[in-house]
């Protein structure tokens, strides 16, 4: 009985923490806006995998560059394809790009961060100098270098953004990581035989989490903008693949004929970028026990439940 009480599943506690975090975000207007937009974006992306108002491959050569109407809300492009359907499908492509870019940014950032706070002076200083040198390379230039062997591909956009943002993440999070690495509890963990990997992920990374969350949310928004810019220049998403950048590039061709057409993909991208930035800000505050009283209360309740079996014993 003592074992069952003292060994509560970690997944149950994780769910309780995330319920508190989501409730805290929902209680704030900006957090509620971010969650609603992200939910709608995800729903539209999933629906677009199976359905669009007009099939993407359906073109009408007799109805090209048509004005917005009930049949074609945003009009048609130079091939007679429905621009609204391409916009909806493009939101799915951009969601994939953002998710994979953030994952690559986090992985590369953590890898470089572990080198920058290494106890080896040569490794630490060498990685810092290398990052400072590489971080000066613009994302656009990285995309151009990747476009030569890969061409205009989604993978090229993800790699260009992930490499640039990952290095920047490591550089921004380094002060907090270095402060944690030199703390007394980290030295105590090392003295007790904890491995370097365990010390890094158990003690150093949690102290960098608020900075990393904000930086990753900025990276997500910037990745979406980078996709639009790179696609407009012809080195981003390839022709025939829907994306917000492709919709903007197509709409620009109509700006002198139907000026309102370009508003919709541009407004969609703006709303998504704002939602991503607000999501990071609110998530940072919600997971910080110093800023979130409800999370502190949950922590105290968990500690009390853990201490009860010990008192009974």
């Amino acid at each position: 009985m003592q074992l069952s009480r003292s060994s509560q599943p970690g997944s149950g506690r994780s769910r309780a923490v995330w319920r508190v975090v989501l409730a805290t975000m929902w209680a704030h207007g900006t957090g509620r806006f971010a969650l609603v937009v992200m939910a709608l974006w995800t729903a539209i992306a999933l629906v677009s995998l199976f359905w669009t108002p007009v099939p993407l491959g359906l073109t009408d050569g007799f109805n090209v560059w048509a004005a917005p109407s009930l049949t074609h809300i945003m009009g048609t492009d130079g091939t007679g394809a429905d621009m609204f359907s391409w916009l909806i499908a493009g939101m799915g492509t951009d969601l994939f790009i953002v998710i994979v870019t953030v994952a690559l940014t986090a992985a590369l950032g953590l890898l470089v961060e572990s080198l920058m706070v290494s106890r080896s002076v040569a490794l630490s200083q060498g990685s810092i100098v290398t990052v400072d040198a590489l971080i000066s390379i613009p994302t656009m230039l990285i995309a151009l270098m990747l476009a030569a062997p890969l061409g205009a591909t989604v993978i090229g956009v993800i790699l260009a953004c992930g490499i640039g943002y990952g290095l920047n993440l490591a550089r921004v999070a380094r002060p907090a990581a270095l402060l944690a690495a030199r703390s007394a509890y980290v030295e105590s963990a090392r003295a007790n035989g904890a491995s370097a990997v365990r010390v890094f992920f158990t003690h150093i990374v949690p102290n960098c989490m608020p900075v990393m969350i904000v930086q990753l949310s900025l990276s997500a928004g910037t990745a979406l903008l980078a996709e639009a810019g790179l696609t407009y220049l012809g080195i981003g998403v390839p022709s025939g693949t829907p994306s917000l950048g492709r919709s903007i590039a197509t709409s620009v061709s109509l700006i002198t004929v139907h000026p309102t057409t370009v508003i919709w993909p541009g407004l969609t991208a703006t709303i998504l970028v704002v939602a991503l930035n607000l999501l990071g800000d609110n998530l940072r505050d919600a997971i910080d026990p110093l800023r979130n009283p409800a999370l502190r209360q949950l922590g105290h309740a968990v500690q009390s439940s853990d201490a009860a079996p010990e008192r009974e014993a």
Side-chain angles (χ1 to χ4, degrees), residues 25-116:
M25 294 176 65
W26 187 261
H28 294 82
T30 55
R32 190 181 303 117
F33 170 81
L35 291 174
V36 169
V37 171
M38 294 304 299
L40 289 175
W41 187 9
T42 303
I44 292 173
L46 292 176
V47 170
S48 68
L49 295 175
F50 309 99
W51 176 86
T52 53
V54 177
L56 299 183
L58 183 62
T59 59
D60 184 2
F62 298 99
N63 192 26
V64 299
W65 301 122
S69 62
L70 293 178
T71 305
H72 303 286
I73 298 177
M74 291 178 52
T76 62
D77 61 11
T79 64
D82 182 62
M83 294 178 62
F84 181 61
S85 297
W86 277 77
L87 176 64
I88 291 177
M91 293 177 68
T93 303
D94 278 87
L95 181 61
F96 172 78
I97 290 175
V98 166
I99 291 175
V100 179
T101 298
V102 168
L104 178 59
T105 299
L108 180 60
L110 288 174
L111 175 62
V112 176
E113 189 67 41
S114 65
L115 299 176
M116 296 174 72

Coordinates of all heavy atoms in Angstrom, one line a residue, residues 25-116:
M25 N -3.0 30.0 -19.0 CA -2.9 30.6 -20.3 C -4.3 31.1 -20.8 O -4.5 32.2 -21.3 CB -2.3 29.7 -21.3 CG -0.8 29.4 -21.1 SD -0.1 28.2 -22.3 CE -0.2 29.2 -23.8
W26 N -5.3 30.2 -20.6 CA -6.7 30.5 -21.0 C -7.2 31.7 -20.2 O -8.1 32.4 -20.7 CB -7.5 29.3 -20.9 CG -8.9 29.5 -21.4 CD1 -10.1 29.8 -20.8 CD2 -9.3 29.4 -22.8 NE1 -11.1 29.9 -21.6 CE2 -10.7 29.6 -22.9 CE3 -8.5 29.1 -24.0 CZ2 -11.3 29.6 -24.1 CZ3 -9.2 29.1 -25.2 CH2 -10.6 29.3 -25.3
A27 N -6.8 31.9 -19.0 CA -7.3 33.0 -18.1 C -6.8 34.4 -18.6 O -7.4 35.4 -18.2 CB -6.9 32.8 -16.7
H28 N -5.8 34.4 -19.5 CA -5.3 35.7 -20.0 C -5.8 35.9 -21.4 O -5.9 34.9 -22.2 CB -3.8 35.7 -19.9 CG -3.3 35.7 -18.5 ND1 -3.1 34.6 -17.8 CD2 -2.8 36.8 -17.7 CE1 -2.6 34.9 -16.6 NE2 -2.4 36.2 -16.5
G29 N -6.2 37.1 -21.8 CA -6.7 37.4 -23.1 C -5.7 37.0 -24.2 O -6.1 36.4 -25.2
T30 N -4.5 37.4 -24.1 CA -3.5 37.1 -25.1 C -3.2 35.6 -25.2 O -3.1 35.0 -26.3 CB -2.2 37.8 -24.8 OG1 -1.7 37.5 -23.5 CG2 -2.3 39.3 -24.9
G31 N -3.2 34.9 -24.1 CA -3.0 33.4 -24.1 C -4.2 32.7 -24.7 O -4.0 31.8 -25.5
R32 N -5.4 33.2 -24.4 CA -6.6 32.6 -25.0 C -6.6 32.8 -26.5 O -6.9 31.9 -27.3 CB -7.9 33.3 -24.4 CG -9.2 32.6 -24.8 CD -10.4 33.3 -24.2 NE -10.3 33.3 -22.8 CZ -10.2 34.5 -22.1 NH1 -10.2 35.6 -22.7 NH2 -10.1 34.4 -20.8
F33 N -6.2 34.0 -27.0 CA -6.1 34.3 -28.4 C -5.1 33.3 -29.1 O -5.4 32.8 -30.1 CB -5.7 35.7 -28.6 CG -5.3 36.1 -30.1 CD1 -6.3 36.3 -31.0 CD2 -4.0 36.1 -30.5 CE1 -6.0 36.6 -32.3 CE2 -3.6 36.4 -31.8 CZ -4.6 36.7 -32.7
A34 N -4.0 33.2 -28.5 CA -2.9 32.3 -29.0 C -3.4 30.8 -29.1 O -3.2 30.2 -30.1 CB -1.7 32.4 -28.2
L35 N -4.1 30.3 -28.0 CA -4.6 29.0 -28.1 C -5.6 28.8 -29.1 O -5.7 27.7 -29.8 CB -5.1 28.6 -26.7 CG -4.0 28.5 -25.5 CD1 -4.7 28.2 -24.2 CD2 -3.1 27.3 -25.8
V36 N -6.6 29.7 -29.2 CA -7.6 29.6 -30.2 C -7.1 29.6 -31.6 O -7.4 28.8 -32.5 CB -8.7 30.7 -30.0 CG1 -9.6 30.8 -31.2 CG2 -9.4 30.6 -28.8
V37 N -6.1 30.5 -31.9 CA -5.5 30.6 -33.2 C -4.8 29.3 -33.6 O -4.9 28.7 -34.7 CB -4.6 31.8 -33.4 CG1 -3.8 31.7 -34.7 CG2 -5.4 33.1 -33.3
M38 N -4.0 28.8 -32.6 CA -3.3 27.6 -32.8 C -4.2 26.4 -33.0 O -3.9 25.5 -33.9 CB -2.3 27.3 -31.6 CG -1.2 28.3 -31.4 SD -0.2 28.5 -32.9 CE 0.5 26.9 -33.1
A39 N -5.3 26.3 -32.3 CA -6.3 25.2 -32.5 C -6.9 25.3 -33.9 O -7.1 24.3 -34.5 CB -7.4 25.3 -31.4
L40 N -7.3 26.5 -34.3 CA -7.9 26.7 -35.6 C -6.9 26.3 -36.7 O -7.2 25.7 -37.7 CB -8.4 28.1 -35.8 CG -9.6 28.5 -35.0 CD1 -10.0 30.0 -35.2 CD2 -10.8 27.6 -35.4
W41 N -5.7 26.8 -36.5 CA -4.6 26.5 -37.5 C -4.4 25.0 -37.6 O -4.3 24.4 -38.8 CB -3.3 27.2 -37.1 CG -2.2 27.1 -38.1 CD1 -2.3 26.6 -39.4 CD2 -0.8 27.5 -37.9 NE1 -1.0 26.8 -40.0 CE2 -0.2 27.3 -39.1 CE3 -0.2 28.0 -36.8 CZ2 1.2 27.5 -39.2 CZ3 1.2 28.3 -36.9 CH2 1.9 28.1 -38.1
T42 N -4.3 24.3 -36.5 CA -4.2 22.8 -36.5 C -5.3 22.1 -37.2 O -5.2 21.2 -38.0 CB -4.0 22.3 -35.1 OG1 -2.8 22.9 -34.5 CG2 -3.7 20.8 -35.1
A43 N -6.6 22.6 -36.9 CA -7.8 22.0 -37.5 C -7.8 22.2 -39.0 O -8.1 21.2 -39.7 CB -9.0 22.6 -36.8
I44 N -7.5 23.4 -39.4 CA -7.5 23.7 -40.8 C -6.5 22.9 -41.6 O -6.7 22.3 -42.7 CB -7.3 25.2 -41.1 CG1 -8.5 26.0 -40.6 CG2 -7.1 25.5 -42.6 CD1 -8.4 27.5 -40.6
A45 N -5.3 22.8 -40.9 CA -4.2 22.0 -41.5 C -4.6 20.5 -41.7 O -4.3 19.9 -42.7 CB -2.9 22.1 -40.7
L46 N -5.2 20.0 -40.7 CA -5.7 18.6 -40.8 C -6.8 18.4 -41.8 O -6.7 17.4 -42.6 CB -6.1 18.1 -39.4 CG -5.0 18.0 -38.3 CD1 -5.7 17.6 -37.0 CD2 -4.0 17.0 -38.7
V47 N -7.7 19.3 -41.8 CA -8.8 19.2 -42.8 C -8.3 19.3 -44.2 O -8.7 18.6 -45.1 CB -9.9 20.2 -42.5 CG1 -10.9 20.3 -43.7 CG2 -10.6 19.9 -41.2
S48 N -7.3 20.2 -44.4 CA -6.8 20.4 -45.8 C -6.1 19.2 -46.3 O -5.9 19.1 -47.5 CB -5.8 21.6 -45.8 OG -4.6 21.3 -45.0
L49 N -5.7 18.2 -45.5 CA -5.1 17.0 -46.0 C -6.1 16.1 -46.7 O -5.7 15.3 -47.6 CB -4.5 16.2 -44.8 CG -3.4 16.8 -44.0 CD1 -3.0 15.9 -42.8 CD2 -2.2 17.0 -44.9
F50 N -7.4 16.3 -46.4 CA -8.4 15.5 -47.0 C -9.4 16.3 -47.9 O -10.0 15.7 -48.8 CB -9.2 14.7 -45.9 CG -8.3 14.0 -45.0 CD1 -8.0 14.5 -43.7 CD2 -7.7 12.8 -45.3 CE1 -7.2 13.9 -42.8 CE2 -6.9 12.1 -44.4 CZ -6.6 12.7 -43.2
W51 N -9.5 17.6 -47.6 CA -10.6 18.3 -48.3 C -10.2 19.8 -48.5 O -9.6 20.4 -47.5 CB -11.9 18.2 -47.6 CG -13.0 19.1 -48.2 CD1 -13.8 18.7 -49.2 CD2 -13.3 20.4 -47.8 NE1 -14.7 19.8 -49.4 CE2 -14.4 20.8 -48.6 CE3 -12.8 21.3 -46.9 CZ2 -15.0 22.1 -48.5 CZ3 -13.4 22.6 -46.8 CH2 -14.4 23.0 -47.6
T52 N -10.4 20.4 -49.6 CA -10.4 21.8 -49.8 C -11.6 22.2 -50.6 O -12.2 21.4 -51.3 CB -9.1 22.2 -50.6 OG1 -9.0 21.4 -51.8 CG2 -7.8 21.9 -49.8
P53 N -12.0 23.5 -50.5 CA -13.2 23.9 -51.3 C -13.2 23.5 -52.7 O -14.3 23.1 -53.3 CB -13.2 25.4 -51.1 CG -12.5 25.6 -49.8 CD -11.4 24.6 -49.8
V54 N -12.1 23.6 -53.4 CA -11.9 23.2 -54.8 C -10.6 22.4 -54.8 O -9.6 22.8 -54.2 CB -11.8 24.5 -55.7 CG1 -11.5 24.0 -57.1 CG2 -13.0 25.3 -55.6
P55 N -10.6 21.2 -55.5 CA -9.4 20.4 -55.6 C -8.3 21.3 -56.1 O -8.4 22.0 -57.0 CB -9.8 19.3 -56.5 CG -11.3 19.2 -56.4 CD -11.8 20.6 -56.1
L56 N -7.1 21.0 -55.5 CA -5.9 21.9 -55.8 C -5.5 21.6 -57.3 O -5.0 22.6 -58.0 CB -4.7 21.5 -54.9 CG -4.9 21.8 -53.4 CD1 -3.6 21.5 -52.7 CD2 -5.3 23.2 -53.2
G57 N -5.7 20.5 -57.8 CA -5.3 20.2 -59.2 C -6.3 20.6 -60.2 O -6.0 20.5 -61.4
L58 N -7.5 21.1 -59.8 CA -8.5 21.5 -60.7 C -8.2 23.0 -61.2 O -8.1 23.9 -60.5 CB -9.9 21.5 -60.1 CG -11.1 21.9 -61.0 CD1 -11.2 20.9 -62.1 CD2 -12.3 21.9 -60.1
T59 N -8.0 23.1 -62.5 CA -7.7 24.4 -63.1 C -8.8 24.7 -64.2 O -9.4 23.8 -64.8 CB -6.3 24.5 -63.7 OG1 -6.2 23.4 -64.7 CG2 -5.3 24.3 -62.7
D60 N -9.0 26.0 -64.5 CA -9.9 26.4 -65.5 C -9.3 27.4 -66.4 O -9.1 28.6 -66.0 CB -11.2 26.9 -64.9 CG -12.3 27.3 -65.9 OD1 -12.0 27.1 -67.1 OD2 -13.3 27.8 -65.5
G61 N -8.8 27.0 -67.6 CA -8.1 27.9 -68.5 C -9.0 29.0 -69.0 O -8.5 30.1 -69.5
F62 N -10.3 28.9 -68.9 CA -11.2 29.9 -69.4 C -11.6 30.9 -68.3 O -12.4 31.8 -68.5 CB -12.5 29.3 -70.0 CG -12.2 28.4 -71.2 CD1 -12.1 27.1 -71.0 CD2 -12.0 29.0 -72.4 CE1 -11.9 26.3 -72.1 CE2 -11.8 28.2 -73.5 CZ -11.7 26.8 -73.4
N63 N -11.0 30.7 -67.0 CA -11.4 31.5 -65.9 C -10.2 31.9 -65.1 O -10.1 31.7 -63.9 CB -12.4 30.7 -65.0 CG -13.1 31.6 -64.0 OD1 -13.2 32.8 -64.2 ND2 -13.5 31.0 -62.9
V64 N -9.2 32.4 -65.8 CA -7.9 32.8 -65.1 C -7.9 34.2 -64.6 O -8.6 35.0 -65.2 CB -6.7 32.6 -66.1 CG1 -6.6 31.1 -66.6 CG2 -6.8 33.5 -67.3
W65 N -7.2 34.4 -63.5 CA -7.1 35.7 -62.9 C -8.5 36.3 -62.7 O -8.8 37.5 -62.9 CB -6.3 36.7 -63.8 CG -4.9 36.3 -64.0 CD1 -4.3 36.2 -65.2 CD2 -3.9 36.0 -63.1 NE1 -3.0 35.8 -65.1 CE2 -2.7 35.7 -63.8 CE3 -3.8 36.0 -61.7 CZ2 -1.5 35.3 -63.2 CZ3 -2.7 35.6 -61.1 CH2 -1.5 35.3 -61.8
A66 N -9.4 35.4 -62.2 CA -10.8 35.9 -62.0 C -10.9 36.7 -60.7 O -10.1 36.5 -59.8 CB -11.7 34.6 -61.9
A67 N -11.8 37.6 -60.7 CA -12.0 38.4 -59.5 C -12.7 37.6 -58.4 O -13.3 36.5 -58.7 CB -12.9 39.6 -59.8
P68 N -12.5 38.0 -57.1 CA -13.2 37.2 -56.0 C -14.7 37.2 -56.2 O -15.3 38.1 -56.6 CB -12.8 38.1 -54.8 CG -11.5 38.8 -55.1 CD -11.6 39.0 -56.6
S69 N -15.3 36.0 -55.9 CA -16.7 35.8 -56.1 C -17.2 34.7 -55.1 O -16.4 34.2 -54.3 CB -17.0 35.3 -57.6 OG -16.4 34.1 -57.8
L70 N -18.4 34.4 -55.2 CA -19.0 33.4 -54.3 C -18.4 32.0 -54.6 O -18.2 31.2 -53.7 CB -20.5 33.3 -54.4 CG -21.3 34.5 -53.9 CD1 -22.8 34.4 -54.1 CD2 -21.0 34.8 -52.4
T71 N -18.1 31.8 -55.9 CA -17.5 30.5 -56.3 C -16.0 30.4 -55.9 O -15.5 29.4 -55.4 CB -17.6 30.3 -57.8 OG1 -19.0 30.4 -58.2 CG2 -17.1 28.9 -58.2
H72 N -15.3 31.5 -56.1 CA -13.9 31.6 -55.8 C -13.7 32.8 -54.9 O -13.6 34.0 -55.3 CB -13.0 31.8 -57.0 CG -13.2 30.6 -58.0 ND1 -12.7 29.4 -57.8 CD2 -13.8 30.6 -59.2 CE1 -13.0 28.6 -58.8 NE2 -13.7 29.3 -59.7
I73 N -13.6 32.6 -53.6 CA -13.6 33.7 -52.6 C -12.5 34.7 -52.8 O -12.6 35.9 -52.6 CB -13.6 33.1 -51.1 CG1 -14.8 32.3 -50.9 CG2 -13.5 34.2 -50.1 CD1 -14.8 31.6 -49.5
M74 N -11.3 34.1 -53.1 CA -10.1 34.9 -53.3 C -9.7 35.0 -54.8 O -8.7 35.6 -55.2 CB -8.9 34.3 -52.6 CG -9.0 34.4 -51.1 SD -7.5 33.7 -50.3 CE -6.2 34.5 -51.1
G75 N -10.6 34.6 -55.7 CA -10.3 34.6 -57.1 C -9.5 33.4 -57.6 O -9.3 32.4 -56.8
T76 N -9.0 33.5 -58.8 CA -8.2 32.4 -59.3 C -6.8 33.0 -59.8 O -6.7 34.2 -60.0 CB -8.9 31.7 -60.5 OG1 -9.1 32.7 -61.6 CG2 -10.2 31.1 -60.1
D77 N -5.9 32.0 -59.9 CA -4.6 32.5 -60.4 C -4.4 32.4 -61.9 O -5.4 32.2 -62.6 CB -3.5 31.7 -59.7 CG -3.6 30.2 -60.0 OD1 -4.3 29.8 -60.9 OD2 -2.9 29.4 -59.3
G78 N -3.2 32.4 -62.4 CA -3.0 32.4 -63.9 C -3.3 31.1 -64.5 O -3.4 31.0 -65.8
T79 N -3.5 30.0 -63.7 CA -3.9 28.7 -64.3 C -5.4 28.4 -64.1 O -5.9 27.4 -64.5 CB -3.1 27.6 -63.7 OG1 -3.4 27.5 -62.3 CG2 -1.6 27.8 -63.9
G80 N -6.1 29.3 -63.4 CA -7.5 29.1 -63.1 C -7.8 28.4 -61.8 O -8.9 27.9 -61.6
A81 N -6.7 28.1 -61.0 CA -6.9 27.4 -59.8 C -7.4 28.3 -58.7 O -7.2 29.5 -58.7 CB -5.5 26.8 -59.3
D82 N -8.2 27.7 -57.8 CA -8.8 28.5 -56.7 C -7.8 28.9 -55.7 O -7.2 28.0 -55.0 CB -9.9 27.6 -56.0 CG -10.6 28.4 -55.0 OD1 -11.3 29.4 -55.3 OD2 -10.6 28.0 -53.8
M83 N -7.6 30.2 -55.5 CA -6.5 30.7 -54.6 C -6.9 30.4 -53.1 O -6.0 30.3 -52.3 CB -6.3 32.2 -54.8 CG -5.7 32.4 -56.2 SD -5.5 34.2 -56.6 CE -4.3 34.6 -55.3
F84 N -8.2 30.4 -52.8 CA -8.6 30.2 -51.4 C -8.2 28.7 -51.0 O -7.7 28.5 -49.9 CB -10.0 30.4 -51.2 CG -10.6 30.2 -49.8 CD1 -10.1 31.0 -48.8 CD2 -11.5 29.3 -49.5 CE1 -10.5 30.8 -47.5 CE2 -12.0 29.1 -48.2 CZ -11.5 29.8 -47.2
S85 N -8.4 27.8 -51.9 CA -8.1 26.4 -51.6 C -6.6 26.3 -51.4 O -6.1 25.5 -50.5 CB -8.6 25.5 -52.7 OG -10.0 25.5 -52.8
W86 N -5.8 27.0 -52.2 CA -4.3 26.9 -52.0 C -3.9 27.5 -50.8 O -2.9 27.1 -50.1 CB -3.7 27.5 -53.3 CG -3.6 26.6 -54.4 CD1 -4.6 26.2 -55.3 CD2 -2.4 25.9 -54.8 NE1 -4.1 25.3 -56.2 CE2 -2.8 25.1 -55.9 CE3 -1.1 25.8 -54.4 CZ2 -1.9 24.2 -56.6 CZ3 -0.2 24.9 -55.0 CH2 -0.6 24.2 -56.1
L87 N -4.6 28.6 -50.3 CA -4.3 29.2 -49.0 C -4.5 28.3 -47.9 O -3.7 28.1 -47.0 CB -5.1 30.5 -48.9 CG -4.9 31.2 -47.5 CD1 -3.5 31.7 -47.4 CD2 -5.9 32.4 -47.4
I88 N -5.6 27.6 -47.9 CA -6.0 26.6 -46.8 C -4.9 25.5 -46.8 O -4.4 25.1 -45.7 CB -7.4 26.1 -47.0 CG1 -8.4 27.2 -46.8 CG2 -7.6 24.9 -46.1 CD1 -9.8 26.7 -47.0
A89 N -4.6 24.9 -48.0 CA -3.6 23.9 -48.0 C -2.2 24.3 -47.6 O -1.5 23.6 -47.0 CB -3.6 23.3 -49.4
G90 N -1.9 25.6 -47.9 CA -0.7 26.2 -47.6 C -0.5 26.3 -46.1 O 0.7 26.2 -45.6
M91 N -1.6 26.5 -45.3 CA -1.5 26.5 -43.9 C -1.0 25.2 -43.3 O -0.3 25.2 -42.3 CB -2.8 26.9 -43.3 CG -3.2 28.4 -43.6 SD -4.9 28.8 -43.0 CE -4.6 28.8 -41.3
G92 N -1.3 24.1 -43.9 CA -0.8 22.8 -43.5 C 0.7 22.7 -43.7 O 1.4 22.2 -42.9
T93 N 1.1 23.1 -44.9 CA 2.5 23.1 -45.2 C 3.3 23.9 -44.2 O 4.4 23.5 -43.7 CB 2.8 23.6 -46.6 OG1 2.1 22.8 -47.6 CG2 4.3 23.5 -47.0
D94 N 2.8 25.1 -43.9 CA 3.6 26.0 -43.0 C 3.6 25.5 -41.6 O 4.5 25.7 -40.9 CB 3.0 27.4 -43.1 CG 3.5 28.2 -44.2 OD1 2.9 28.1 -45.3 OD2 4.5 28.9 -44.1
L95 N 2.5 24.8 -41.2 CA 2.5 24.2 -39.8 C 3.5 23.1 -39.7 O 4.2 23.0 -38.7 CB 1.1 23.6 -39.5 CG 0.9 23.0 -38.2 CD1 1.1 24.0 -37.1 CD2 -0.5 22.4 -38.0
F96 N 3.7 22.3 -40.8 CA 4.7 21.3 -40.8 C 6.1 21.9 -40.7 O 7.0 21.5 -40.0 CB 4.6 20.4 -42.1 CG 5.7 19.5 -42.3 CD1 5.8 18.3 -41.5 CD2 6.7 19.8 -43.2 CE1 6.8 17.4 -41.7 CE2 7.8 18.9 -43.4 CZ 7.8 17.7 -42.6
I97 N 6.3 23.0 -41.5 CA 7.6 23.7 -41.5 C 7.9 24.2 -40.1 O 9.0 24.1 -39.6 CB 7.6 24.8 -42.6 CG1 7.6 24.2 -44.0 CG2 8.8 25.7 -42.4 CD1 7.5 25.2 -45.1
V98 N 6.9 24.9 -39.5 CA 7.1 25.5 -38.2 C 7.5 24.4 -37.1 O 8.4 24.6 -36.3 CB 5.9 26.3 -37.8 CG1 6.0 26.6 -36.3 CG2 5.8 27.6 -38.6
I99 N 6.7 23.3 -37.1 CA 6.9 22.3 -36.1 C 8.3 21.6 -36.3 O 9.1 21.5 -35.3 CB 5.8 21.2 -36.2 CG1 4.5 21.8 -35.8 CG2 6.2 20.0 -35.3 CD1 3.3 20.8 -35.9
V100 N 8.7 21.3 -37.5 CA 10.0 20.6 -37.7 C 11.1 21.6 -37.4 O 12.2 21.2 -36.9 CB 10.0 20.0 -39.1 CG1 11.4 19.3 -39.3 CG2 8.9 19.0 -39.3
T101 N 10.9 22.9 -37.8 CA 12.0 23.9 -37.6 C 12.2 24.1 -36.1 O 13.4 24.2 -35.7 CB 11.6 25.2 -38.3 OG1 11.5 25.0 -39.7 CG2 12.6 26.3 -38.0
V102 N 11.1 24.2 -35.3 CA 11.3 24.3 -33.9 C 12.0 23.1 -33.3 O 12.8 23.3 -32.4 CB 9.9 24.6 -33.3 CG1 10.0 24.5 -31.7 CG2 9.4 25.9 -33.6
A103 N 11.6 21.9 -33.7 CA 12.3 20.7 -33.2 C 13.8 20.7 -33.5 O 14.6 20.4 -32.7 CB 11.6 19.5 -33.8
L104 N 14.1 21.1 -34.8 CA 15.5 21.1 -35.2 C 16.2 22.2 -34.4 O 17.4 22.0 -34.0 CB 15.6 21.4 -36.7 CG 17.0 21.5 -37.3 CD1 17.8 20.2 -37.0 CD2 17.0 21.7 -38.8
T105 N 15.6 23.4 -34.3 CA 16.2 24.5 -33.5 C 16.5 24.1 -32.1 O 17.6 24.4 -31.6 CB 15.3 25.7 -33.5 OG1 15.1 26.1 -34.9 CG2 15.9 26.9 -32.7
A106 N 15.5 23.4 -31.4 CA 15.7 23.0 -30.0 C 16.9 22.0 -29.9 O 17.7 22.0 -29.0 CB 14.4 22.4 -29.5
A107 N 16.9 21.0 -30.9 CA 17.9 19.9 -30.8 C 19.3 20.5 -31.0 O 20.2 20.2 -30.3 CB 17.6 18.9 -31.8
L108 N 19.4 21.4 -32.1 CA 20.7 21.9 -32.3 C 21.1 22.9 -31.2 O 22.3 23.0 -30.8 CB 20.7 22.7 -33.7 CG 22.0 23.3 -34.1 CD1 23.1 22.3 -34.3 CD2 21.8 24.1 -35.5
G109 N 20.2 23.7 -30.7 CA 20.5 24.6 -29.7 C 21.0 23.9 -28.4 O 21.9 24.4 -27.8
L110 N 20.3 22.8 -28.0 CA 20.7 22.1 -26.8 C 22.1 21.5 -27.0 O 22.9 21.4 -26.1 CB 19.7 21.0 -26.5 CG 18.4 21.5 -25.9 CD1 17.4 20.4 -25.8 CD2 18.6 22.3 -24.6
L111 N 22.3 20.9 -28.2 CA 23.6 20.3 -28.5 C 24.8 21.4 -28.4 O 25.8 21.1 -27.7 CB 23.6 19.7 -29.9 CG 25.0 19.1 -30.4 CD1 25.4 18.0 -29.5 CD2 24.9 18.6 -31.8
V112 N 24.6 22.5 -29.0 CA 25.6 23.5 -29.0 C 25.7 24.1 -27.5 O 26.8 24.4 -27.1 CB 25.3 24.7 -30.0 CG1 26.3 25.8 -29.9 CG2 25.3 24.1 -31.4
E113 N 24.6 24.2 -26.9 CA 24.6 24.7 -25.5 C 25.4 23.8 -24.6 O 26.1 24.3 -23.7 CB 23.2 24.9 -25.0 CG 23.0 25.6 -23.7 CD 23.4 27.1 -23.8 OE1 23.0 27.7 -24.8 OE2 24.1 27.5 -22.9
S114 N 25.3 22.5 -24.8 CA 26.0 21.6 -23.9 C 27.5 21.7 -24.1 O 28.3 21.6 -23.2 CB 25.6 20.2 -24.2 OG 25.9 19.8 -25.6
L115 N 27.9 22.1 -25.3 CA 29.3 22.3 -25.6 C 29.8 23.6 -25.0 O 30.9 23.7 -24.5 CB 29.6 22.3 -27.1 CG 29.3 21.0 -27.9 CD1 29.5 21.2 -29.4 CD2 30.1 19.8 -27.3
M116 N 28.9 24.6 -25.0 CA 29.3 26.0 -24.6 C 29.5 26.0 -23.0 O 30.2 26.9 -22.5 CB 28.3 27.0 -25.0 CG 28.3 27.2 -26.6 SD 27.0 28.3 -27.1 CE 27.6 29.8 -26.6

